[in-house]
Amino acid sequence: MSSNGTSFLEKVLSIVKDERSEEVPLIRFVHPKELEAKLDLDVTEGVNDKQLEERVNEILHYSVKTHKTTFRNQLFCAPDPYGLAGAWITEAFNTSQYTFEVAPAFTLIELKILDHVLKLFGIPNGDGIFAPGGSIAIMYGIVAARFKKFPEIKSKGMKSLPEMVIFTSEDSHYSITKAAHWLGFGTDQVRRIPVNSKGQMIIQKLDESIRNDLDMGRCPIFVNGMAGTTVLGSIDDIEAVADVCQKYGIWMHVDACWGGSLMMSPKYRTKLKGIERANSISWNPHKMMGAPFQCSMILIDEKGLLHKANSAAANYLFQQDKFYDVSYDTGDKSVQCGRKIDAFKLWVMWKARGDLGLGQLADRTMATAEFCLKTVANRPGFKLVSDELQCPNICFWYIPKFMRDKEQDKQWWECMHKVTPKIKELLVLSSRLMVSYTPLRLHKNFFRIAFQFHPAVDEPHIIDMLRAIEESGETITMCMLENTP
């Protein structure tokens, strides 16, 4: 049997440090069933600390090392070291963020961080709360919009309300569709507005769609503008979206979960011009900025609205006759009861680096992406999906030499559709690079490399990534593709 765990806790740092060394490969890929057979995961009987250390080492041995420069698979990244320290502290103190009573300093930190971020985004008199991920943050925005329009929703439910409609870009995150389902709108009530060649919502189409629903007697309730789509990193014309919302009196949300971190940069925040006109904004510092998972927030332009929309006044937690100022008990504006103190790790990062330091990291990230874009554009065999940098997303195909002199007809593109995932497979199995690929609208499978604040990626790293893709691509034969489903 194990001890009380204290001695094992002291070993954890060295265990993690060993698996984060430079010599450790990005991934040791094993297929699911085979990996399940390799790992001792049964918890029926306890083990001693030495055995537990061995089991943990095995698990980390087969885990992806997200701190490496070659991890380009997702929009999240290596944690900021200061943020990681903050995360360890919050886990060690293991308190919840619902009342000042149990989290006094942490409550003040959340309020201070939210106040700072609200000012950064240009809505200084607003409100906000940390949420468990961007999908939930967007749900908060929809709930606030619906309550603002129809406050009776809270007591009477949806049955007394008109047919409500949500509008979003066709390239927006799937969480909008999930929110429509979870909140009782129905997925058929989501209007996906076409985008232009840059992945930006076509404003005329948005206006037409709203007018059509109004003519049909429906109630447009929520427009979601994008500040950094998941794949292309596209940023909608937020000013124009705001004009349409103002014209029809519709709540405007901006999904800035990815691109919101550009607000840290005086140079690049102009890409999000108009975001200060939003009624709500969702932002994930755990993405581009590198705060440890999870670190997401919802910002609302009206103070008190979150509390009105979500409060349940549980009298065992939120007693109004407490001996201190109960306005600091923030939990009743959350849909959760127990809530992690996610603000603290962000505060540690921000306190260490300040606005200036974080802005410099944002500038460095965009400069890295610009170098990658130019390099891909000029490298033989590489073809850009989009040649405009909005967020630090670079999307492209690699065309093997045996395909370059052929006509790019339907059959050719179907072949390319198989080339990209095959290259990805070879890269992962060789542990050279983890890079995302996806189709998008009419585009066949292509690569997406996204850059974040951490770790620092320099020009030689980028050249090595592209070389890895190129060398893997040149090992592919037509015969290999013919055997691919």
Side-chain angles (χ1 to χ4, degrees):
M1 295 293 291
S2 66
S3 66
N4 64 8
T6 303
S7 59
F8 177 74
L9 187 61
E10 294 171 353
K11 294 179 181 177
V12 167
L13 185 59
S14 63
I15 294 172
V16 172
K17 187 176 180 180
D18 287 346
E19 277 298 320
R20 284 172 57 92
S21 69
E22 283 301 314
E23 293 73 29
V24 174
L26 168 66
I27 183 173
R28 301 175 177 97
F29 184 82
V30 179
H31 287 283
K33 289 295 183 183
E34 184 183 347
L35 182 58
E36 188 176 14
K38 283 178 175 288
L39 299 177
D40 176 12
L41 303 179
D42 185 78
V43 295
T44 305
E45 295 184 5
V47 296
N48 61 40
D49 283 2
K50 179 62 177 175
Q51 292 169 318
L52 182 59
E53 182 180 347
E54 291 171 356
R55 302 300 180 270
V56 170
N57 272 321
E58 287 174 355
I59 289 167
L60 297 184
H61 181 83
Y62 292 106
S63 295
V64 177
K65 311 307 185 290
T66 61
H67 65 282
K68 286 188 169 287
T69 58
T70 47
F71 179 75
R72 300 289 114 200
N73 212 61
Q74 254 65 54
L75 296 182
F76 62 84
C77 59
D80 184 296
Y82 291 109
L84 181 57
W88 284 342
I89 292 168
T90 61
E91 295 301 319
F93 274 70
N94 197 40
T95 193
S96 184
Q97 187 86 61
Y98 41 57
T99 65
F100 179 84
E101 184 177 357
V102 296
F106 294 130
T107 295
L108 296 179
I109 282 169
E110 182 180 45
L111 294 172
K112 189 66 177 179
I113 282 288
L114 286 168
D115 180 67
H116 194 74
V117 173
L118 285 162
K119 289 173 181 173
L120 178 71
F121 280 89
I123 45 177
N125 298 315
D127 197 2
I129 197 168
F130 278 72
S135 296
I136 304 299
I138 288 173
M139 286 191 195
Y140 271 109
I142 296 175
V143 167
R146 186 176 61 181
F147 180 83
K148 179 72 174 178
K149 185 79 171 179
F150 301 109
E152 66 271 26
I153 177 70
K154 196 169 179 181
S155 58
K156 299 184 183 302
M158 295 282 277
K159 63 182 179 180
S160 62
L161 302 182
E163 187 179 353
M164 291 176 283
V165 187
I166 295 168
F167 302 83
T168 192
S169 153
E170 67 175 311
D171 283 1
S172 66
H173 195 261
Y174 64 85
S175 56
I176 291 288
T177 303
K178 286 197 172 186
H181 158 51
W182 271 53
L183 298 176
F185 292 87
T187 57
D188 288 348
Q189 303 310 105
V190 177
R191 305 288 182 261
R192 291 200 166 271
I193 308 302
V195 298
N196 61 21
S197 60
K198 299 176 183 178
Q200 300 164 319
M201 186 159 51
I202 300 172
I203 302 303
Q204 182 182 353
K205 296 293 184 182
L206 171 63
D207 191 290
E208 290 173 359
S209 185
I210 291 172
R211 280 193 284 108
N212 180 65
D213 276 303
L214 286 170
D215 291 343
M216 297 296 290
R218 303 186 186 102
C219 179
I221 195 77
F222 185 92
V223 173
N224 178 52
M226 293 302 303
T229 57
T230 303
V231 178
L232 295 181
S234 304
I235 299 173
D236 289 335
D237 185 339
I238 300 174
E239 285 276 26
V241 174
D243 288 342
V244 172
C245 290
Q246 184 176 344
K247 174 181 176 182
Y248 293 105
I250 305 173
W251 183 283
M252 183 178 83
H253 179 85
V254 176
D255 177 352
C257 288
W258 171 235
S261 295
L262 296 181
M263 291 298 292
M264 301 309 307
S265 166
K267 178 179 180 181
Y268 293 103
R269 70 176 55 149
T270 54
K271 289 177 173 285
L272 276 62
K273 184 182 178 184
I275 199 168
E276 70 281 355
R277 296 174 63 186
N279 298 108
S280 58
I281 301 166
S282 50
W283 178 37
N284 287 357
H286 68 231
K287 287 189 174 177
M288 192 190 304
M289 201 163 160
F293 269 123
Q294 57 196 18
C295 191
S296 306
M297 65 185 79
I298 176 70
L299 310 174
I300 304 285
D301 70 341
E302 182 178 333
K303 196 176 290 292
L305 184 61
L306 277 172
H307 186 272
K308 292 175 184 176
N310 300 312
S311 64
N315 58 17
Y316 66 92
L317 270 182
F318 307 115
Q319 304 95 329
Q320 297 303 293
D321 56 355
K322 290 181 179 180
F323 61 92
Y324 60 84
D325 184 351
V326 296
S327 67
Y328 285 87
D329 288 352
T330 59
D332 213 14
K333 64 182 179 182
S334 166
V335 71
Q336 299 167 260
C337 181
R339 189 163 62 88
K340 291 177 70 68
I341 44 179
D342 292 325
F344 182 67
K345 52 199 168 192
L346 183 59
W347 178 86
V348 175
M349 290 169 51
W350 220 310
K351 189 68 173 175
R353 301 185 186 279
D355 290 347
L356 179 62
L358 291 173
Q360 289 170 342
L361 290 177
D363 289 346
R364 184 190 72 188
T365 300
M366 288 297 285
T368 300
E370 287 172 353
F371 173 80
C372 185
L373 182 75
K374 292 176 182 176
T375 305
V376 168
N378 294 310
R379 195 173 180 93
F382 288 80
K383 178 181 176 68
L384 286 167
V385 177
S386 174
D387 61 1
E388 180 174 331
L389 189 68
Q390 299 180 64
C391 283
N393 304 42
I394 314 300
C395 298
F396 59 91
W397 294 274
Y398 178 71
I399 306 168
K401 289 179 181 176
F402 76 88
M403 294 183 63
R404 291 182 201 171
D405 59 350
K406 295 181 172 58
E407 181 185 355
Q408 295 184 13
D409 54 14
K410 182 178 179 180
Q411 185 177 2
W412 186 91
W413 278 109
E414 288 300 327
C415 186
M416 274 302 304
H417 195 60
K418 295 180 179 181
V419 165
T420 304
K422 191 64 181 178
I423 293 175
K424 160 74 179 259
E425 177 188 346
L426 295 171
L427 291 169
V428 171
L429 292 178
S430 64
S431 192
R432 293 187 70 180
L433 178 66
M434 287 189 74
V435 58
S436 174
Y437 75 87
T438 182
L440 183 70
R441 290 178 264 112
L442 298 177
H443 296 311
K444 298 298 183 181
N445 281 329
F446 57 85
F447 292 112
R448 181 204 66 190
I449 291 182
F451 295 96
Q452 303 88 359
F453 289 16
H454 304 283
V457 177
D458 57 27
E459 295 180 2
H461 287 137
I462 292 171
I463 299 301
D464 286 345
M465 290 178 204
L466 299 180
R467 184 182 296 118
I469 292 171
E470 185 176 43
E471 290 175 358
S472 295
E474 290 309 318
T475 67
I476 295 173
T477 65
M478 184 61 74
C479 182
M480 292 168 66
L481 298 178
E482 288 172 351
N483 294 325
T484 302

